Amino acid sequence: MSATWVAVLAGCLGCYLLKLAGLSVPAAWVEHPVVRRVVDFVPAALLAALVAVQAVTSGPQLVVDGRLAALAVAAVALALRAPFVLVLLLAGATGALVHTLG
């Protein structure tokens, strides 16, 4: 058996055990107010981390380019409660403009 298949099977087993662990948690723990509050914020925190990594890295290096400017414009537009389509258009235009000028 190749190392690739060992890695695939180990990943499958790990995912199954993680899912089983989640199902094995007593309901009283999940319904606790502190746990509910934390669980509500986990998806947003993970998404923010992914956006931050994608905005300022290129491979192993930190890079400041049009992506960071586009992210800043999108954040300002969202803070001003602009419609989401407008946020996307503004961010895309900003990224393209910085890329063209740079």
Side-chain angles (χ1 to χ4, degrees):
M1 186 177 290
S2 69
T4 302
W5 279 109
V6 171
V8 168
L9 292 175
C12 290
L13 180 64
C15 288
Y16 176 76
L17 292 175
L18 186 61
K19 185 74 166 178
L20 182 64
L23 294 173
S24 302
V25 173
W29 290 4
V30 177
E31 294 170 1
H32 194 272
V34 174
V35 174
R36 279 190 168 201
R37 186 163 170 82
V38 169
V39 168
D40 286 344
F41 288 115
V42 168
L46 289 174
L47 182 59
L50 289 171
V51 168
V53 167
Q54 291 297 315
V56 296
T57 61
S58 181
Q61 287 93 18
L62 290 176
V63 178
V64 176
D65 58 7
R67 296 176 295 175
L68 191 57
L71 181 62
V73 167
V76 170
L78 284 171
L80 295 174
R81 300 194 184 276
F84 190 68
V85 173
L86 181 61
V87 171
L88 292 177
L89 290 173
L90 289 172
T94 302
L97 181 65
V98 170
H99 180 72
T100 302
L101 295 177

Coordinates of all heavy atoms in Angstrom, one line a residue:
M1 N 0.8 -1.2 0.0 CA 0.0 0.0 0.0 C 0.9 1.2 0.0 O 1.8 1.3 0.8 CB -0.9 0.0 1.2 CG -1.9 1.1 1.3 SD -3.0 1.1 2.6 CE -4.0 -0.3 2.3
S2 N 0.6 2.2 -0.9 CA 1.4 3.4 -1.0 C 1.2 4.4 0.1 O 0.2 4.3 0.8 CB 1.2 4.1 -2.4 OG -0.1 4.6 -2.4
A3 N 2.1 5.3 0.3 CA 2.0 6.3 1.3 C 0.7 7.2 1.1 O 0.1 7.6 2.1 CB 3.2 7.1 1.4
T4 N 0.4 7.4 -0.2 CA -0.8 8.2 -0.5 C -2.1 7.5 0.1 O -2.9 8.2 0.7 CB -1.0 8.4 -2.0 OG1 0.2 9.0 -2.5 CG2 -2.2 9.2 -2.3
W5 N -2.2 6.2 -0.1 CA -3.4 5.5 0.4 C -3.4 5.5 1.9 O -4.5 5.5 2.5 CB -3.5 4.1 -0.2 CG -4.1 4.2 -1.6 CD1 -3.4 3.9 -2.8 CD2 -5.4 4.5 -1.9 NE1 -4.3 4.1 -3.8 CE2 -5.5 4.5 -3.3 CE3 -6.5 4.8 -1.2 CZ2 -6.7 4.7 -4.0 CZ3 -7.7 5.1 -1.9 CH2 -7.8 5.0 -3.2
V6 N -2.3 5.3 2.5 CA -2.2 5.4 4.0 C -2.7 6.7 4.5 O -3.5 6.8 5.4 CB -0.8 5.1 4.5 CG1 -0.6 5.3 5.9 CG2 -0.4 3.6 4.1
A7 N -2.3 7.8 3.8 CA -2.7 9.1 4.2 C -4.2 9.3 4.0 O -4.9 9.9 4.8 CB -1.9 10.2 3.4
V8 N -4.7 8.8 2.9 CA -6.2 8.9 2.6 C -7.0 8.2 3.7 O -7.9 8.7 4.2 CB -6.5 8.4 1.2 CG1 -8.0 8.2 1.0 CG2 -5.9 9.4 0.1
L9 N -6.6 6.9 4.0 CA -7.3 6.1 5.0 C -7.2 6.8 6.3 O -8.1 6.8 7.1 CB -6.8 4.7 4.9 CG -7.1 3.9 3.7 CD1 -6.4 2.6 3.7 CD2 -8.6 3.8 3.5
A10 N -6.0 7.3 6.7 CA -5.8 8.0 8.0 C -6.7 9.2 8.1 O -7.3 9.5 9.1 CB -4.4 8.3 8.2
G11 N -6.8 9.9 7.0 CA -7.7 11.1 7.0 C -9.1 10.7 7.1 O -9.9 11.4 7.8
C12 N -9.5 9.6 6.4 CA -10.9 9.2 6.6 C -11.2 8.7 8.0 O -12.3 9.1 8.5 CB -11.1 8.0 5.6 SG -11.2 8.4 3.9
L13 N -10.3 8.0 8.6 CA -10.5 7.6 10.0 C -10.6 8.8 10.9 O -11.4 8.8 11.8 CB -9.4 6.6 10.4 CG -9.4 6.1 11.8 CD1 -10.7 5.2 12.0 CD2 -8.2 5.3 12.2
G14 N -9.7 9.7 10.7 CA -9.7 10.9 11.5 C -11.0 11.7 11.4 O -11.6 12.1 12.4
C15 N -11.5 11.8 10.2 CA -12.8 12.5 10.0 C -13.9 11.8 10.7 O -14.8 12.4 11.3 CB -13.1 12.7 8.5 SG -12.1 13.9 7.7
Y16 N -13.9 10.4 10.6 CA -15.0 9.6 11.2 C -14.9 9.8 12.7 O -16.0 10.0 13.3 CB -14.8 8.2 10.8 CG -15.8 7.3 11.5 CD1 -17.1 7.2 11.1 CD2 -15.4 6.5 12.6 CE1 -18.1 6.4 11.7 CE2 -16.4 5.7 13.2 CZ -17.7 5.7 12.8 OH -18.6 4.9 13.4
L17 N -13.7 9.7 13.3 CA -13.6 9.8 14.7 C -14.0 11.2 15.2 O -14.6 11.3 16.3 CB -12.2 9.5 15.2 CG -11.8 8.0 15.0 CD1 -10.3 7.8 15.3 CD2 -12.7 7.1 15.8
L18 N -13.7 12.2 14.4 CA -14.1 13.6 14.8 C -15.6 13.7 14.8 O -16.2 14.3 15.7 CB -13.4 14.6 13.9 CG -13.6 16.1 14.2 CD1 -13.0 16.4 15.6 CD2 -13.0 16.9 13.1
K19 N -16.2 13.2 13.8 CA -17.7 13.2 13.7 C -18.3 12.4 14.8 O -19.3 12.9 15.5 CB -18.1 12.7 12.3 CG -19.6 12.7 12.1 CD -20.0 14.2 11.8 CE -21.4 14.2 11.2 NZ -21.8 15.5 10.9
L20 N -17.8 11.3 15.1 CA -18.2 10.5 16.2 C -18.1 11.2 17.6 O -19.0 11.1 18.4 CB -17.5 9.1 16.3 CG -18.0 8.1 17.3 CD1 -19.4 7.7 17.1 CD2 -17.0 6.9 17.3
A21 N -17.0 11.9 17.8 CA -16.8 12.6 19.0 C -17.8 13.7 19.1 O -18.4 14.0 20.2 CB -15.4 13.2 19.0
G22 N -18.2 14.4 18.0 CA -19.2 15.4 18.1 C -20.6 14.9 18.4 O -21.3 15.5 19.1
L23 N -20.9 13.7 17.9 CA -22.2 13.1 18.2 C -22.2 12.5 19.6 O -23.3 12.3 20.2 CB -22.5 12.0 17.2 CG -22.7 12.4 15.8 CD1 -22.8 11.3 14.8 CD2 -23.9 13.3 15.7
S24 N -21.0 12.2 20.2 CA -21.0 11.6 21.5 C -21.1 12.6 22.7 O -21.1 12.2 23.8 CB -19.7 10.8 21.7 OG -19.6 9.8 20.7
V25 N -21.0 13.9 22.4 CA -21.0 14.9 23.4 C -22.4 15.0 24.0 O -23.4 15.0 23.3 CB -20.6 16.3 22.8 CG1 -20.8 17.4 23.8 CG2 -19.2 16.3 22.3
P26 N -22.5 15.0 25.3 CA -23.9 15.1 26.0 C -24.6 16.3 25.5 O -24.0 17.4 25.4 CB -23.6 15.1 27.5 CG -22.2 14.5 27.6 CD -21.5 14.9 26.3
A27 N -25.9 16.2 25.4 CA -26.7 17.4 25.0 C -26.6 18.5 25.9 O -26.7 19.7 25.5 CB -28.2 16.9 24.8
A28 N -26.5 18.2 27.2 CA -26.4 19.3 28.2 C -25.2 20.2 28.0 O -25.3 21.4 28.2 CB -26.3 18.7 29.6
W29 N -24.1 19.6 27.5 CA -22.9 20.4 27.2 C -23.1 21.4 26.0 O -22.7 22.5 26.0 CB -21.7 19.6 26.9 CG -21.2 18.8 28.1 CD1 -21.7 18.7 29.3 CD2 -20.0 18.0 28.1 NE1 -20.9 17.9 30.1 CE2 -19.9 17.4 29.3 CE3 -19.1 17.6 27.1 CZ2 -18.8 16.6 29.7 CZ3 -18.1 16.8 27.4 CH2 -18.0 16.2 28.7
V30 N -23.8 20.8 25.0 CA -24.0 21.6 23.8 C -25.0 22.8 24.0 O -24.9 23.8 23.4 CB -24.5 20.7 22.7 CG1 -24.8 21.5 21.4 CG2 -23.5 19.6 22.4
E31 N -26.0 22.5 24.9 CA -27.0 23.5 25.2 C -26.6 24.6 26.2 O -27.3 25.5 26.5 CB -28.3 22.8 25.7 CG -28.9 22.0 24.6 CD -30.0 21.1 25.1 OE1 -30.3 21.2 26.3 OE2 -30.5 20.3 24.3
H32 N -25.4 24.5 26.8 CA -24.9 25.5 27.7 C -24.7 26.8 27.0 O -24.2 26.9 25.9 CB -23.5 25.0 28.3 CG -23.1 25.8 29.5 ND1 -22.4 26.9 29.4 CD2 -23.3 25.6 30.8 CE1 -22.1 27.4 30.6 NE2 -22.7 26.6 31.5
P33 N -25.1 27.9 27.6 CA -25.1 29.2 26.9 C -23.7 29.7 26.4 O -23.6 30.2 25.4 CB -25.6 30.2 28.0 CG -26.4 29.4 28.9 CD -25.8 28.0 28.9
V34 N -22.7 29.4 27.2 CA -21.3 29.8 26.8 C -20.9 29.0 25.6 O -20.4 29.6 24.6 CB -20.3 29.5 28.0 CG1 -18.9 29.8 27.5 CG2 -20.7 30.4 29.2
V35 N -21.2 27.7 25.5 CA -20.9 26.9 24.4 C -21.6 27.4 23.2 O -21.0 27.5 22.1 CB -21.1 25.4 24.7 CG1 -20.9 24.5 23.4 CG2 -20.3 24.9 25.8
R36 N -22.9 27.6 23.3 CA -23.7 28.1 22.2 C -23.1 29.4 21.6 O -23.0 29.6 20.4 CB -25.1 28.3 22.6 CG -25.9 27.1 22.6 CD -27.4 27.4 22.8 NE -28.1 26.2 22.5 CZ -29.4 26.1 22.2 NH1 -30.0 27.3 22.1 NH2 -30.0 25.0 22.0
R37 N -22.7 30.3 22.5 CA -22.2 31.6 22.1 C -20.9 31.4 21.3 O -20.7 32.1 20.3 CB -22.0 32.5 23.3 CG -21.6 33.9 22.9 CD -21.8 34.9 24.1 NE -21.2 36.1 23.9 CZ -21.7 37.1 23.2 NH1 -22.9 36.9 22.6 NH2 -21.1 38.3 23.0
V38 N -20.0 30.6 21.8 CA -18.8 30.3 21.1 C -19.0 29.6 19.8 O -18.4 30.0 18.8 CB -17.8 29.4 22.0 CG1 -16.6 28.9 21.2 CG2 -17.4 30.2 23.2
V39 N -19.9 28.7 19.7 CA -20.2 28.0 18.5 C -20.8 28.9 17.4 O -20.5 28.7 16.2 CB -21.1 26.8 18.8 CG1 -21.7 26.2 17.5 CG2 -20.4 25.7 19.6
D40 N -21.5 29.9 17.9 CA -22.1 30.8 16.9 C -21.0 31.7 16.2 O -21.2 32.1 15.1 CB -23.1 31.8 17.6 CG -24.4 31.1 17.9 OD1 -24.7 30.0 17.4 OD2 -25.1 31.7 18.8
F41 N -19.9 31.9 16.9 CA -18.8 32.7 16.3 C -17.7 31.9 15.6 O -16.9 32.5 14.8 CB -18.2 33.6 17.4 CG -19.0 34.7 17.9 CD1 -19.5 34.7 19.2 CD2 -19.4 35.7 17.1 CE1 -20.3 35.7 19.7 CE2 -20.2 36.7 17.5 CZ -20.7 36.7 18.8
V42 N -17.7 30.6 15.7 CA -16.7 29.8 15.1 C -16.7 30.0 13.5 O -15.6 30.2 12.9 CB -16.7 28.4 15.5 CG1 -15.9 27.5 14.6 CG2 -16.3 28.2 17.0
P43 N -17.8 29.9 12.8 CA -17.7 30.0 11.4 C -17.2 31.4 10.9 O -16.4 31.5 10.0 CB -19.2 29.8 10.9 CG -19.8 29.0 12.0 CD -19.1 29.5 13.3
A44 N -17.6 32.4 11.6 CA -17.2 33.8 11.2 C -15.7 33.9 11.5 O -14.9 34.5 10.7 CB -17.9 34.8 12.0
A45 N -15.2 33.4 12.6 CA -13.8 33.4 12.9 C -12.9 32.7 11.9 O -11.9 33.1 11.4 CB -13.5 32.9 14.3
L46 N -13.4 31.5 11.5 CA -12.7 30.7 10.5 C -12.7 31.4 9.1 O -11.6 31.4 8.4 CB -13.3 29.3 10.3 CG -13.1 28.4 11.5 CD1 -13.9 27.1 11.3 CD2 -11.6 28.0 11.6
L47 N -13.8 32.0 8.7 CA -13.9 32.7 7.5 C -12.9 33.9 7.5 O -12.2 34.2 6.5 CB -15.3 33.1 7.2 CG -15.5 33.9 5.8 CD1 -15.1 33.0 4.7 CD2 -17.0 34.3 5.7
A48 N -12.9 34.7 8.6 CA -12.0 35.8 8.7 C -10.6 35.4 8.6 O -9.8 36.1 8.0 CB -12.3 36.5 10.0
A49 N -10.2 34.3 9.2 CA -8.8 33.8 9.2 C -8.5 33.4 7.7 O -7.4 33.7 7.3 CB -8.7 32.6 10.1
L50 N -9.4 32.8 7.0 CA -9.1 32.4 5.6 C -8.9 33.6 4.8 O -8.0 33.7 3.9 CB -10.2 31.5 5.1 CG -10.3 30.1 5.6 CD1 -11.5 29.4 5.2 CD2 -9.0 29.3 5.2
V51 N -9.8 34.6 5.0 CA -9.7 35.8 4.2 C -8.4 36.6 4.5 O -7.7 37.0 3.5 CB -10.9 36.8 4.5 CG1 -10.7 38.2 3.9 CG2 -12.2 36.2 3.9
A52 N -8.0 36.6 5.7 CA -6.8 37.3 6.1 C -5.6 36.6 5.5 O -4.7 37.3 4.9 CB -6.6 37.4 7.6
V53 N -5.5 35.3 5.5 CA -4.4 34.6 4.9 C -4.4 34.8 3.4 O -3.3 35.0 2.8 CB -4.5 33.1 5.3 CG1 -3.5 32.2 4.5 CG2 -4.2 32.9 6.8
Q54 N -5.5 34.7 2.7 CA -5.5 34.8 1.3 C -5.2 36.3 0.9 O -4.7 36.5 -0.2 CB -6.9 34.4 0.7 CG -7.2 32.9 0.9 CD -6.2 32.1 0.0 OE1 -5.9 32.4 -1.1 NE2 -5.7 31.1 0.7
A55 N -5.5 37.3 1.7 CA -5.3 38.7 1.3 C -3.9 39.1 1.4 O -3.4 40.0 0.7 CB -6.2 39.6 2.2
V56 N -3.1 38.5 2.3 CA -1.7 39.0 2.5 C -0.6 38.0 2.4 O 0.5 38.3 2.7 CB -1.6 39.7 3.9 CG1 -2.5 40.9 4.1 CG2 -1.9 38.7 5.0
T57 N -0.9 36.8 1.8 CA 0.2 35.9 1.6 C 0.2 35.4 0.1 O -0.8 35.4 -0.5 CB 0.0 34.6 2.5 OG1 -1.2 34.0 2.2 CG2 0.1 35.0 3.9
S58 N 1.4 35.1 -0.3 CA 1.6 34.4 -1.6 C 2.7 33.4 -1.3 O 3.8 33.7 -1.2 CB 2.1 35.5 -2.6 OG 2.2 34.8 -3.9
G59 N 2.2 32.1 -1.2 CA 3.1 31.1 -0.8 C 3.5 31.3 0.6 O 2.7 31.6 1.5
P60 N 4.8 31.2 0.9 CA 5.3 31.4 2.3 C 5.6 32.9 2.7 O 5.9 33.2 3.8 CB 6.5 30.6 2.4 CG 7.1 30.6 1.0 CD 5.9 30.6 0.1
Q61 N 5.5 33.8 1.7 CA 5.8 35.2 1.9 C 4.6 36.0 2.2 O 3.5 35.8 1.7 CB 6.5 35.8 0.7 CG 7.9 35.3 0.5 CD 8.0 34.1 -0.4 OE1 7.1 33.9 -1.2 NE2 9.1 33.4 -0.4
L62 N 4.8 37.1 3.0 CA 3.7 38.1 3.2 C 3.9 39.1 2.0 O 5.0 39.5 1.7 CB 3.9 38.8 4.5 CG 3.6 38.0 5.8 CD1 4.0 38.8 7.0 CD2 2.2 37.6 5.8
V63 N 2.7 39.4 1.5 CA 2.7 40.3 0.3 C 1.6 41.4 0.5 O 0.5 41.1 0.9 CB 2.4 39.5 -1.0 CG1 2.3 40.4 -2.2 CG2 3.4 38.4 -1.2
V64 N 2.0 42.6 0.3 CA 1.0 43.7 0.3 C 0.8 44.1 -1.2 O 1.7 44.6 -1.8 CB 1.5 44.9 1.1 CG1 0.6 46.0 1.1 CG2 1.8 44.4 2.6
D65 N -0.4 43.9 -1.7 CA -0.7 44.2 -3.1 C -2.2 44.6 -3.2 O -2.8 45.0 -2.2 CB -0.4 43.0 -4.0 CG -1.1 41.8 -3.7 OD1 -2.0 41.8 -2.8 OD2 -0.8 40.7 -4.3
G66 N -2.7 44.5 -4.3 CA -4.1 45.0 -4.6 C -5.1 44.2 -3.8 O -6.2 44.8 -3.5
R67 N -4.8 43.0 -3.4 CA -5.8 42.2 -2.6 C -6.1 42.9 -1.3 O -7.2 42.9 -0.8 CB -5.3 40.8 -2.4 CG -5.2 40.0 -3.7 CD -4.6 38.7 -3.4 NE -3.2 38.8 -2.9 CZ -2.4 37.8 -2.5 NH1 -2.9 36.6 -2.5 NH2 -1.2 38.1 -2.1
L68 N -5.0 43.4 -0.7 CA -5.2 44.1 0.6 C -6.0 45.4 0.5 O -6.9 45.7 1.3 CB -3.9 44.3 1.3 CG -3.9 44.8 2.7 CD1 -4.6 43.7 3.6 CD2 -2.5 44.9 3.2
A69 N -5.7 46.1 -0.6 CA -6.5 47.3 -0.8 C -8.0 47.0 -1.1 O -8.9 47.7 -0.6 CB -5.9 48.1 -2.0
A70 N -8.2 46.0 -1.9 CA -9.6 45.5 -2.2 C -10.3 45.1 -0.9 O -11.5 45.4 -0.7 CB -9.6 44.4 -3.2
L71 N -9.6 44.4 0.0 CA -10.2 44.0 1.3 C -10.5 45.2 2.1 O -11.6 45.2 2.7 CB -9.2 43.1 2.0 CG -9.7 42.5 3.3 CD1 -11.0 41.7 3.2 CD2 -8.6 41.7 4.0
A72 N -9.7 46.2 2.1 CA -9.9 47.4 2.9 C -11.2 48.1 2.3 O -12.0 48.6 3.1 CB -8.7 48.3 2.9
V73 N -11.3 48.3 1.0 CA -12.4 48.9 0.4 C -13.7 48.1 0.7 O -14.7 48.7 1.0 CB -12.2 49.1 -1.1 CG1 -13.5 49.5 -1.8 CG2 -11.1 50.1 -1.3
A74 N -13.6 46.8 0.6 CA -14.8 46.0 0.9 C -15.2 46.1 2.4 O -16.4 46.2 2.7 CB -14.5 44.5 0.6
A75 N -14.3 46.2 3.3 CA -14.6 46.4 4.7 C -15.3 47.7 5.0 O -16.3 47.8 5.7 CB -13.3 46.3 5.6
V76 N -14.8 48.8 4.3 CA -15.4 50.1 4.5 C -16.8 50.1 3.9 O -17.8 50.6 4.5 CB -14.5 51.2 3.8 CG1 -15.3 52.5 3.8 CG2 -13.2 51.4 4.6
A77 N -17.0 49.5 2.7 CA -18.3 49.4 2.1 C -19.3 48.6 2.9 O -20.4 49.0 3.1 CB -18.2 48.8 0.7
L78 N -18.8 47.5 3.5 CA -19.7 46.8 4.4 C -20.0 47.6 5.7 O -21.2 47.5 6.1 CB -19.0 45.4 4.8 CG -19.0 44.4 3.7 CD1 -18.2 43.2 4.1 CD2 -20.4 43.9 3.4
A79 N -19.1 48.3 6.2 CA -19.4 49.1 7.4 C -20.4 50.2 7.1 O -21.2 50.6 8.0 CB -18.1 49.7 7.9
L80 N -20.4 50.7 5.8 CA -21.4 51.7 5.4 C -22.7 51.1 5.0 O -23.5 51.8 4.4 CB -20.8 52.6 4.3 CG -19.6 53.4 4.7 CD1 -19.0 54.1 3.5 CD2 -20.0 54.4 5.8
R81 N -22.8 49.7 5.1 CA -24.0 49.0 4.8 C -24.4 49.1 3.3 O -25.5 49.2 2.9 CB -25.2 49.4 5.6 CG -24.9 49.2 7.1 CD -26.2 49.3 7.9 NE -26.0 49.2 9.3 CZ -25.9 48.1 10.0 NH1 -26.0 47.0 9.4 NH2 -25.7 48.1 11.3
A82 N -23.4 49.0 2.5 CA -23.6 49.0 1.0 C -24.2 47.6 0.6 O -23.9 46.6 1.3 CB -22.3 49.2 0.3
P83 N -24.9 47.5 -0.4 CA -25.4 46.2 -0.9 C -24.2 45.3 -1.3 O -23.2 45.8 -1.7 CB -26.2 46.5 -2.1 CG -26.6 48.0 -2.0 CD -25.5 48.6 -1.2
F84 N -24.4 44.0 -1.1 CA -23.3 43.1 -1.2 C -22.7 43.1 -2.7 O -21.5 43.0 -2.9 CB -23.7 41.7 -0.8 CG -22.6 40.7 -0.8 CD1 -21.6 40.8 0.2 CD2 -22.4 39.7 -1.7 CE1 -20.5 40.0 0.3 CE2 -21.4 38.8 -1.6 CZ -20.4 39.0 -0.6
V85 N -23.6 43.2 -3.6 CA -23.1 43.3 -5.0 C -22.2 44.5 -5.2 O -21.2 44.4 -5.9 CB -24.3 43.3 -6.0 CG1 -23.8 43.5 -7.4 CG2 -25.1 42.0 -5.9
L86 N -22.6 45.6 -4.7 CA -21.8 46.8 -4.8 C -20.4 46.6 -4.0 O -19.4 47.1 -4.5 CB -22.5 48.0 -4.2 CG -21.8 49.4 -4.2 CD1 -21.5 49.7 -5.7 CD2 -22.6 50.4 -3.6
V87 N -20.4 45.9 -2.9 CA -19.2 45.6 -2.2 C -18.3 44.8 -3.1 O -17.1 45.1 -3.2 CB -19.5 44.9 -0.9 CG1 -18.2 44.4 -0.2 CG2 -20.3 45.8 0.1
L88 N -18.8 43.8 -3.8 CA -18.0 43.0 -4.6 C -17.4 43.8 -5.8 O -16.3 43.7 -6.2 CB -18.8 41.8 -5.2 CG -19.2 40.8 -4.1 CD1 -20.1 39.7 -4.8 CD2 -18.0 40.1 -3.5
L89 N -18.3 44.6 -6.4 CA -17.8 45.5 -7.5 C -16.7 46.5 -7.1 O -15.7 46.6 -7.8 CB -19.0 46.2 -8.1 CG -20.0 45.3 -8.9 CD1 -21.2 46.1 -9.3 CD2 -19.4 44.7 -10.1
L90 N -16.9 47.1 -6.0 CA -15.9 48.1 -5.5 C -14.6 47.4 -5.2 O -13.5 47.9 -5.5 CB -16.5 48.8 -4.2 CG -17.6 49.8 -4.5 CD1 -18.1 50.3 -3.1 CD2 -17.1 51.0 -5.3
A91 N -14.7 46.2 -4.5 CA -13.5 45.5 -4.2 C -12.7 45.0 -5.4 O -11.5 45.1 -5.5 CB -13.8 44.3 -3.3
G92 N -13.5 44.5 -6.4 CA -12.9 44.0 -7.6 C -12.2 45.2 -8.4 O -11.1 45.0 -8.9
A93 N -13.0 46.3 -8.5 CA -12.4 47.4 -9.2 C -11.1 48.0 -8.5 O -10.2 48.3 -9.2 CB -13.5 48.5 -9.3
T94 N -11.2 48.0 -7.2 CA -10.0 48.5 -6.4 C -8.8 47.6 -6.7 O -7.7 48.0 -6.9 CB -10.3 48.6 -4.9 OG1 -11.4 49.5 -4.8 CG2 -9.1 49.1 -4.2
G95 N -9.0 46.3 -6.6 CA -7.9 45.3 -6.8 C -7.4 45.4 -8.2 O -6.2 45.4 -8.4
A96 N -8.2 45.6 -9.2 CA -7.8 45.7 -10.6 C -7.0 47.0 -10.8 O -6.0 47.0 -11.5 CB -9.0 45.6 -11.5
L97 N -7.5 48.1 -10.2 CA -6.9 49.4 -10.3 C -5.5 49.4 -9.7 O -4.5 49.8 -10.3 CB -7.7 50.5 -9.7 CG -7.2 51.9 -9.8 CD1 -7.1 52.3 -11.3 CD2 -8.0 52.9 -9.0
V98 N -5.4 48.8 -8.5 CA -4.0 48.8 -7.9 C -3.1 47.9 -8.7 O -1.9 48.2 -8.8 CB -4.2 48.3 -6.4 CG1 -2.8 48.0 -5.8 CG2 -4.9 49.3 -5.6
H99 N -3.6 46.8 -9.2 CA -2.8 45.9 -10.0 C -2.3 46.5 -11.3 O -1.2 46.4 -11.7 CB -3.6 44.6 -10.3 CG -2.8 43.6 -11.2 ND1 -1.8 42.9 -10.6 CD2 -2.9 43.3 -12.5 CE1 -1.3 42.1 -11.6 NE2 -2.0 42.3 -12.7
T100 N -3.2 47.3 -11.9 CA -2.9 48.0 -13.1 C -1.8 49.1 -12.9 O -0.9 49.3 -13.6 CB -4.1 48.6 -13.8 OG1 -5.0 47.6 -14.0 CG2 -3.8 49.4 -15.1
L101 N -2.0 49.9 -11.8 CA -1.1 50.9 -11.5 C 0.3 50.5 -10.9 O 1.3 51.2 -11.0 CB -1.7 51.9 -10.4 CG -3.0 52.6 -10.9 CD1 -3.5 53.5 -9.8 CD2 -2.6 53.5 -12.1
G102 N 0.3 49.3 -10.4 CA 1.5 48.8 -9.7 C 2.3 48.0 -10.6 O 3.2 47.9 -11.3

